[in-house]
C-alpha cells in the first residue's frame, strides 16, 4: 500500500532536500574534470562582466574629466578585449557543461531503465505503464537543466556576485553598504516566493500525472470508448482533469506576476539610494560621478542573478521533484533477489517439485494454498481447473516472477531461490495467455534478437509450429514489420509466433498457459504434433481449459480455489468421479447428446 | 508560421483580455523608460551642484515610477499568461475530443507513446508561443520603439553609432535560430523513439523476463539514449554561441557609448547624464534583444509542434465524415445483411474479405467459424463501423450502415472484442461502462449471466473492487466475462462475441451460453468461436475460409455437406474418440 502512495505524485515534503541533492551530485562525480574546468572558467568569466562598469568609471573620472582622448581610447579597447574574452570563455563553458549534463542524464536514464527492467512483476502490477514511462523519459529530462546549466550557473552567479561586491566595496564601502541594504527584503521576498511556487509546482505535477495516466489508458482502450459511444462522457471526465491541471498552473502565474515586479521595485529603491547618498557625497565632493555610474550599473548586474535565482530555483524544484520520483523507483527493492552464491545444476534434468507452497499477490488474499506436487524429468503435467483456480499463478512462481510466502519450489532438487534467476528462466520457456509482440520484424519477435538464435533456427521453429505457412505469405516474409503490438496480425497468428519463440529458445521446461485456446482446431492439431516432438526429454506443464489438450499428460493436477483437489492420470481421475470427472462430462455432454 | 495561424481562433476567444494585456504592456514600458530620464536629470543636476532636496526628489520619483511600472507588470502576467494557460486548456481539450473520434485505423498506425508526446510536449511548446512569446514580442517591439525614439531625441548621432551592431545581431539571431530549430526537431524525433521503446519494453515485461532478454532491452535502450545525447550535442554546438554572441554585440554598443559619447562629453556636445541615460537604455534593450532571439526560438519550436498537432487535427474520421447520415433512424431492430462485401485494411493490402453476402434475421444467432486469419474479426468489425467496407453494402434493418447515426448504431451493438480491455476503475463502473446511469438491477442481471457472481464472493470489496491497470489482477477468464457483462449491460439489439470465451473454462462457458439463450431472445447475435460446442446450436453457421464464405447452414446441414465444417467436426470428434480408447 505504501508503495502506491509513493508513486501517486502526491505533494511531498521539502523542495530542497540536502539528501536528495547529495545523491544527485553523486552522479556528477564521474565528471569531476568537467566540473573543475567549469569552476575555473567561471571564476575568470564572472570577473570580466563586473570589470566593465569599473572601466567605465575610470573612463569618466580619469579620461573624460581630464579630456584625455588617448586614455579614453585605451579604456575602450580594454572594454572590447574583456568582452571578446568573455564571449569565448562563455562558449567553451556552455559547451562543456551541456556535454556533462547530457552525459549525466544519459547515465541516469540507462541506470533507471536497467533497474526497472530488473524489478519484480509486483511493481508492474501496481504501477501504470504510463507512469513508469514518464520516469525514464520526462522525469530524467527534467534533470537535464539542473546538470547542464543549473549547478554551474549557481557557481557563476555566486562568483559574479562576489566580484561585484568586491568592486563596490573597493570603490566606496559606505555606498556599497547602503546599496545592499535592500538585500534582506529581497531575500525575504525570494524566500516567500519560493515557498509558494514550490507548493504550486507540486500540485501541477500531480495533476499532470493524472492527466497523462488518463490519456494513456484511454488511448489504449479507445476501441472500448468508441464501441460504447462514450466519447461524450469520457470527454467530460477529460475536461475535469484538464481543468484541474489548468487551475493549478494558473495559481503559479500569480506568484510570478507578483514576484518579478517586487524585484524591479526593490532594484529601483537601490538606485534611488545610490542617487540620494551618492549624490549627497558628490555635492560634498567626497565621491566622483564615475563611482555613481558604476554603482548604478552594478545594481543592474547583481539584481539579475538574484532575480534569476528563483528561476534557478525552479530548475532545482523541477529537478528535485523529478529526482524524488526517480529515486523512489531506484530505491524500490521489489526485486526478486538472486542468491549471493547461486548454486548451479550440473545435470539439468527438469525435475520440478512444489512443496507446501502458499502464495498471495496481496498480503492476505491467498491464491494458492499448500500446493504440493512433483513432476519428474520429461513428464508432461497438465493443470486443470475452473478459471481463477490459481493455475496461472503456478507458472509465475516457477519462473520466480513472484516469491512465495510459504513452502519451497525445487528444480532438480534445488530450491529456486538458490538458483540465479537468469539461469532458471533460461531453462524455462513460457507461452503466455496474452501474446506480446515487440516492434521490429517477425524474425526479431521469434528470436528476440538473441545472438544464440540463428535465422535458420528461427525459420525451423516457425516451421515446426506451423507459423511458417502464414509468414511466407507476408510481403516481406520474416522481415515483415510488426506494427504496434502486432495489430495487423490475428490473435492466432500472434500465438503461433509466440510458440515459435518458445521453441526457438529450446528450453528444458516448457509451460503452455492456455495457449491453445484461441487457435482453430486445425492449427491446434499442427501445434500439438510439434509439441509432442518437443516434449521428448523436456518437462512440460500445460495449463489449459480444454481437456482435449491434456489427454496425453502423464499426470493431471486438478486445482480448485487455490488448492490441489485431485492428482492422477486421466483414467484414474475419471474413475474417481470427482471434479475432473465433472469437467470432463461437461465437455463431452454435447457429443453424447448428439448421439455420435 | 502557417500552422500557428490556426491558433487565431483561440486568441479571438480571449481578445478582450489580450487587448487589455497589450495596453498594460505599453503602460508598463512607459514607466520603465522614464527611469533613465530621471537618472540623466539627477546626474546632470549633480554636475551643477544643486541642493540635496532636488536629489531626494529625484530619488523618490524613481521609486514611484518603478511602483507604477510594477503594478502594470503584474497586470500583464495576470492577463496574457493566464490567457495562454486557458488556450492551452482549450487546445488540449480540442485535441482530445478530436482524437477520441478518430477511426480504429488511426490508432493502429500511431503508437500510444507518440500520441502522448503530442498531447503533452507539443502542446507545451505551443503554449510557450501563446504566452511568453506573445508577451515578450509585444513588450520587445514596443520598448524598442520607445527607447530608440528617446535616444534619438537625446543624441541622434550617438544613437546611430550605438545601433550599428543591431542589424548584425538580428541576422545572427535569425541564422542561429533556424539551425537550432532543425536540430531541435531531430532531438524530438529521438525522444519520441525513446519513449516508444520504454513504453513497449515495460508493457512486454513478462515476455522480456521470461526469456531473460533484459540485457538486450537495456542494450537497445542504451543505444537510443546515446543517439539522443549525440543529437542534443549537435544542437548545443550551435546554441552555445547564442548567449556569448548576444552579450558581445550588445556590449559593443555600450562601449561605443562610452568611447564616442565620452569624446562628445569632452567636446561638451553631450552631458554625462545623457551618457548615463544611454547606458541605462542599452541595459533596457539588452533583454528585449535577447528575448527576441529566444522568442524566435520558441516560435519555431511552436511552429513545429503545431504542425504535428495540425496533422492530427487534419486526420479525418473518414468513416463518419464521408457518409450521409439519416437522422430519422432512431432505433435498430437487428436484421443484418451483407451484400457483396469486400474489405481490405489499406489500398496496398490484400483483400481480407471477398464478396461476402449474408443475411441475418432479427433474433437469429449466427456463428462464424474458420481458420486463424480467415477474416472473422474483420467481418464483425464492419458492423459497428470500426472499419468501412471497401466495396459492397452492409445493411441493418434495410438501411445502409453508412446512413445510421453513429450513436444509434453503436449503442445497440454489444461487441465483446477478442482482446479484453478494462479500465482501471471499479468492477461496477467497468460493467456499467456503457450505461448513462448505473442501474443495480441491470448490473446484477448481467453479472449473473456472465457468471461473475461467483467471483464476486472472492473479491473483498465486491462490485467496488478496483481493477488494476488493464485489469491485471483478474484472470483472463474473469476479464473476458467482465467484458461480456459490460456488453450485455447496454441491452444491445445486436450482440457480437468475438471468441469471447477463449480463456473461460468449458464449465462456465456452458452456463453462460445457457443463460445467454434466454437473454438473446428477440436479439440478433453473432458468435465467433473455434469450438464446435459453442457454435453448434446456432441458427446458422458460417464457415469463413480466406475471406470467403465457404459453407453455411445449420450444424446438421454442414455435417451432411461433408466439407470444411464436417472436417473440423470429425477432427474434433476423432480426437475425443482417440482419447477414449486410451
Amino acid at each position: 500500500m505504501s508503495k502506491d502512495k509513493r508513486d501517486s505524485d502526491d505533494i511531498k515534503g521539502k523542495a530542497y532536500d540536502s539528501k536528495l541533492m547529495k545523491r544527485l551530485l553523486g552522479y556528477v562525480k564521474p565528471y569531476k574534470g568537467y566540473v573543475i574546468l567549469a569552476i575555473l572558467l567561471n571564476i575568470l568569466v564572472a570577473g570580466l562582466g563586473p570589470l566593465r562598469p569599473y572601466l567605465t568609471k575610470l573612463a569618466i573620472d580619469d579620461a573624460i574629466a581630464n579630456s584625455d582622448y588617448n586614455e579614453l581610447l585605451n579604456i575602450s579597447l580594454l572594454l572590447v578585449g574583456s568582452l571578446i574574452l568573455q564571449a569565448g570563455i562563455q562558449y567553451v563553458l556552455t559547451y562543456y557543461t551541456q556535454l556533462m549534463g547530457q552525459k549525466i542524464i544519459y547515465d541516469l536514464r540507462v541506470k533507471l531503465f536497467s533497474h526497472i527492467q530488473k524489478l519484480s512483476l509486483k511493481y508492474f502490477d501496481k504501477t501504470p505503464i504510463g507512469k513508469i514511462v514518464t520516469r525514464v523519459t520526462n522525469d530524467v529530462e527534467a534533470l537535464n537543466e539542473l546538470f547542464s546549466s543549473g549547478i554551474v550557473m549557481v557557481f557563476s552567479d555566486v562568483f559574479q556576485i562576489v566580484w561585484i561586491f568586491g568592486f563596490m566595496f573597493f570603490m566606496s564601502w559606505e555606498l556599497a553598504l547602503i546599496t545592499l541594504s535592500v538585500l534582506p527584503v529581497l531575500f525575504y521576498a525570494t524566500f516567500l516566493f519560493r515557498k509558494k511556487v514550490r507548493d504550486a509546482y507540486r500540485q501541477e505535477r500531480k495533476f499532470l500525472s493524472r492527466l497523462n495516466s488518463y490519456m494513456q489508458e484511454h488511448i489504449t482502450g479507445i476501441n472500448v470508448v468508441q464501441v460504447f459511444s462514450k466519447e461524450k462522457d469520457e470527454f467530460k471526465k477529460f475536461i475535469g482533469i484538464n481543468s484541474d491541471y489548468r487551475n493549478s498552473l494558473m495559481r503559479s502565474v500569480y506568484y510570478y506576476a507578483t514576484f518579478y515586479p517586487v524585484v524591479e521595485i526593490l532594484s529601483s529603491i537601490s538606485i534611488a539610494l545610490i542617487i540620494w547618498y551618492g549624490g549627497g557625497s558628490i555635492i560634498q565632493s567626497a565621491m566622483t560621478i564615475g563611482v555613481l555610474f558604476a554603482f548604478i550599473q552594478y545594481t543592474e548586474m547583481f539584481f539579475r542573478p538574484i532575480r534569476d535565482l528563483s528561476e534557478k530555483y525552479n530548475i532545482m524544484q523541477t529537478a528535485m521533484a523529478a529526482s524524488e520520483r526517480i529515486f523512489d523507483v531506484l530505491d524500490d527493492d521489489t526485486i526478486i533477489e538472486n542468491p549471493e552464491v547461486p548454486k548451479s545444476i550440473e545435470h539439468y534434468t527438469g525435475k520440478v517439485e512444489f512443496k507446501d507452497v502458499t502464495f498471495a499477490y496481496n498480503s492476505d488474499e491467498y491464491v494458492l494454498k499448500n500446493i504440493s506436487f512433483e513432476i519428474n524429468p520429461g513428464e508432461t503435467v497438465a493443470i486443470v481447473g475452473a478459471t481463477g483456480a490459481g493455475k496461472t499463478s503456478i507458472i509465475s512462481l516457477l519462473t520466480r516472477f513472484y516469491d512465495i510466502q510459504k513452502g519451497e519450489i525445487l528444480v532438480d532438487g534445488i530450491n529456486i531461490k538458490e538458483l540465479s534467476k537468469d539461469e532458471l528462466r533460461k531453462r524455462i520457456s513460457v507461452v503466455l495467455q496474452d501474446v506480446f509482440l515487440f516492434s521490429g520484424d517477425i524474425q526479431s519477435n521469434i528470436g528476440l534478437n538473441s545472438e544464440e538464435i540463428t535465422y535458420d533456427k528461427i525459420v525451423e521453429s516457425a516451421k515446426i509450429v506451423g507459423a511458417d505457412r502464414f509468414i511466407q505469405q507476408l510481403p516481406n516474409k520474416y522481415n515483415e514489420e510488426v506494427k504496434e503490438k502486432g495489430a495487423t496480425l490475428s490473435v492466432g497468428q500472434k500465438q503461433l509466433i509466440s510458440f515459435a519463440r518458445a521453441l526457438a529458445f529450446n528450453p528444458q521446461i516448457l509451460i503452455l498457459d492456455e495457449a491453445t485456446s484461441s487457435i482453430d482446431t486445425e492449427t491446434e492439431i499442427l501445434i500439438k504434433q510439434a509439441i509432442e516432438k518437443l516434449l521428448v526429454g523436456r518437462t512440460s506443464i500445460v495449463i489449459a481449459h480444454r481437456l482435449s489438450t491434456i489427454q496425453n499428460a502423464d499426470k493431471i493436477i486438478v486445482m480448485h480455489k487455490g488448492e490441489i483437489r485431485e492428482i492422477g492420470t486421466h483414467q484414474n481421475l475419471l474413475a474417481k468421479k470427482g471434479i475432473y470427472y465433472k469437467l470432463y462430462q461437461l465437455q463431452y455432454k454435447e457429443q453424447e447428446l448428439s448421439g455420435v | 508560421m502557417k500552422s500557428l495561424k490556426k491558433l487565431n481562433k483561440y486568441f479571438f476567444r480571449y481578445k478582450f483580455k489580450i487587448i487589455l494585456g497589450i495596453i498594460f504592456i505599453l503602460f508598463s514600458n512607459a514607466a520603465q523608460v522614464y527611469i533613465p530620464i530621471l537618472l540623466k536629470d539627477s546626474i546632470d543636476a549633480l554636475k551643477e551642484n544643486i541642493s540635496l532636496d532636488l536629489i531626494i526628489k529625484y530619488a523618490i520619483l524613481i521609486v514611484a515610477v518603478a511602483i507604477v511600472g510594477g503594478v502594470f507588470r503584474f497586470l500583464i502576467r495576470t492577463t496574457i499568461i493566464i490567457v495562454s494557460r486557458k488556450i492551452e486548456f482549450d487546445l488540449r481539450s480540442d485535441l482530445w475530443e478530436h482524437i477520441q473520434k478518430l477511426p480504429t485505423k488511426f490508432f493502429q498506425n500511431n503508437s500510444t507513446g507518440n500520441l502522448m508526446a503530442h498531447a503533452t510536449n507539443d502542446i507545451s511548446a505551443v503554449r510557450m508561443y501563446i504566452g511568453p512569446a506573445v508577451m515578450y514580442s509585444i513588450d520587445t517591439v514596443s520598448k524598442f520603439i520607445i527607447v530608440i525614439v528617446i535616444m534619438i531625441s537625446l543624441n541622434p548621432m550617438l544613437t546611430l553609432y550605438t545601433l550599428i551592431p543591431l542589424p548584425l545581431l538580428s541576422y545572427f539571431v535569425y541564422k542561429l535560430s533556424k539551425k537550432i530549430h532543425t536540430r531541435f526537431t531531430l532531438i524530438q524525433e529521438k525522444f519520441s523513439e525513446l519513449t516508444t521503446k520504454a513504453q513497449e519494453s515495460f508493457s512486454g515485461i513478462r515476455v522480456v523476463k521470461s526469456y531473460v532478454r533484459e540485457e538486450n532491452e537495456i542494450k537497445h535502450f542504451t543505444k537510443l539514449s546515446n543517439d539522443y545525447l549525440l543529437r542534443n550535442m549537435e544542437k548545443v554546438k550551435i546554441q552555445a554561441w547564442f548567449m556569448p554572441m548576444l552579450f558581445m554585440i550588445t556590449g559593443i554598443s555600450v562601449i561605443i557609448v562610452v568611447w564616442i559619447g565620452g569624446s562628445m562629453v569632452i567636446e561638451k556636445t553631450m552631458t554625462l547624464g545623457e551618457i548615463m541615460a544611454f547606458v541605462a537604455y542599452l541595459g533596457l534593450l539588452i533583454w528585449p534583444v535577447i528575448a527576441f532571439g529566444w522568442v524566435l526560438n520558441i516560435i519555431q519550436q511552436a511552429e513545429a509542434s503545431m504542425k504535428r498537432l495540425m496533422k492530427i487535427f487534419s486526420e479525418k474520421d473518414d468513416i463518419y465524415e464521408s457518409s450521409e447520415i439519416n437522422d430519422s433512424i432512431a432505433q435498430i431492430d437487428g436484421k443484418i445483411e451483407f451484400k457483396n462485401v469486400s474489405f481490405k485494411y489499406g489500398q496496398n493490402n490484400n483483400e481480407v474479405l471477398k464478396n461476402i453476402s449474408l443475411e441475418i434475421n432479427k433474433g437469429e444467432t449466427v456463428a462464424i467459424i474458420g481458420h486463424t486469419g480467415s477474416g472473422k474479426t474483420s467481418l464483425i468489425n464492419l458492423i459497428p463501423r470500426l472499419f468501412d467496407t471497401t466495396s459492397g453494402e452492409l445493411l441493418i434493418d434495410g438501411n445502409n450502415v453508412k446512413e445510421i447515426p453513429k450513436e444509434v448504431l453503436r449503442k445497440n451493438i454489444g461487441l465483446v472484442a477478442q482482446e479484453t480491455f478494462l479500465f482501471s476503475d471499479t468492477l461496477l463502473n467497468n460493467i456499467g461502462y456503457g450505461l448513462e446511469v448505473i442501474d443495480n438491477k441491470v448490473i446484477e442481471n448481467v453479472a449473473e449471466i456472465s457468471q461473475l457472481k461467483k467471483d464476486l464472493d472472492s473479491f473483498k470489496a465486491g462490485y467496488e473492487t478496483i481493477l488494476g491497470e488493464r485489469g491485471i489482477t483478474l484472470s483472463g477468464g474473469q476479464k473476458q466475462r467482465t467484458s461480456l457483462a459490460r456488453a450485455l449491460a447496454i441491452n444491445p439489439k445486436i450482440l457480437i462475441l468475438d471468441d469471447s470465451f477463449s480463456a473461460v473454462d468449458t464449465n462456465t462457458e456452458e452456463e453462460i451460453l445457457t443463460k445467454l439463450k434466454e437473454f438473446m431472445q428477440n436479439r440478433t447475435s453473432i458468435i465467433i468461436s473455434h469450438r464446435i460446442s459453442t457454435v453448434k446450436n446456432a441458427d446458422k453457421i458460417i464457415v469463413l475460409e480466406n475471406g470467403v464464405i465457404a459453407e453455411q447452414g445449420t450444424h446438421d446441414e454442414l455435417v451432411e455437406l461433408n466439407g470444411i465444417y464436417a472436417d473440423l467436426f470429425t477432427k474434433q470428434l476423432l480426437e475425443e474418440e482417440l482419447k477414449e480408447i486410451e
Side-chain angles (χ1 to χ4, degrees), chain A residues 34-51:
Chain A
Y34 285 78
V35 176
I36 293 169
L37 178 75
I39 292 177
L40 289 178
L41 289 178
N42 250 321
I43 294 176
L44 198 64
V45 86
L48 288 170
L51 180 67

Side-chain angles (χ1 to χ4, degrees), chain B residues 15-28:
Chain B
K15 57 180 180 299
F16 179 67
K17 271 207 162 176
I18 293 174
I19 290 169
L20 211 59
I22 292 171
I23 293 170
F24 292 149
I25 290 177
L26 296 179
F27 278 132
S28 122

Side-chain angles (χ1 to χ4, degrees), chain A residues 567-581:
Chain A
I567 294 187
T569 61
H570 176 62
Q571 292 302 336
N572 281 344
L573 289 174
L574 277 185
K576 217 175 181 178
K577 300 212 166 179
I579 295 172
Y580 183 78
Y581 182 73

Side-chain angles (χ1 to χ4, degrees), chain A residues 180-299:
Chain A
L180 300 181
S181 65
V182 296
L183 280 187
V185 186
L186 181 65
F187 283 133
Y188 183 66
T190 311
F191 169 76
L192 269 187
F193 171 69
R194 264 171 21 185
K195 208 167 109 96
K196 291 282 181 193
V197 164
R198 177 190 66 204
D199 296 343
Y201 179 76
R202 300 211 157 217
Q203 286 281 351
E204 279 168 30
R205 295 300 304 187
K206 187 174 100 182
F207 288 121
L208 177 63
S209 162
R210 223 174 262 178
L211 188 72
N212 282 344
S213 297
Y214 176 89
M215 290 196 289
Q216 168 84 36
E217 183 175 338
H218 285 78
I219 292 173
T220 319
I222 191 75
N223 249 335
V224 177
V225 176
Q226 292 183 340
V227 164
F228 283 88
S229 282
K230 293 290 280 185
E231 291 95 334
K232 275 183 199 142
D233 291 329
E234 288 295 353
F235 186 56
K236 257 185 231 153
K237 253 192 242 170
F238 178 81
I239 290 277
I241 299 169
N242 195 12
S243 51
D244 280 347
Y245 179 51
R246 177 198 58 195
N247 295 343
S248 71
L249 289 169
M250 294 206 305
R251 207 165 309 132
S252 60
V253 171
Y254 284 93
Y255 300 137
Y256 283 97
T258 315
F259 180 68
Y260 285 127
V262 165
V263 173
E264 268 170 53
I265 291 167
L266 285 175
S267 141
S268 77
I269 291 176
S270 254
I271 291 176
L273 288 172
I274 295 169
I275 299 274
W276 165 66
Y277 184 82
S281 306
I282 289 169
I283 291 171
Q284 292 159 15
S285 298
M287 195 183 279
T288 60
I289 289 194
V291 173
L292 201 94
F293 241 89
F295 265 74
I296 290 174
Q297 281 178 280
Y298 283 134
T299 314

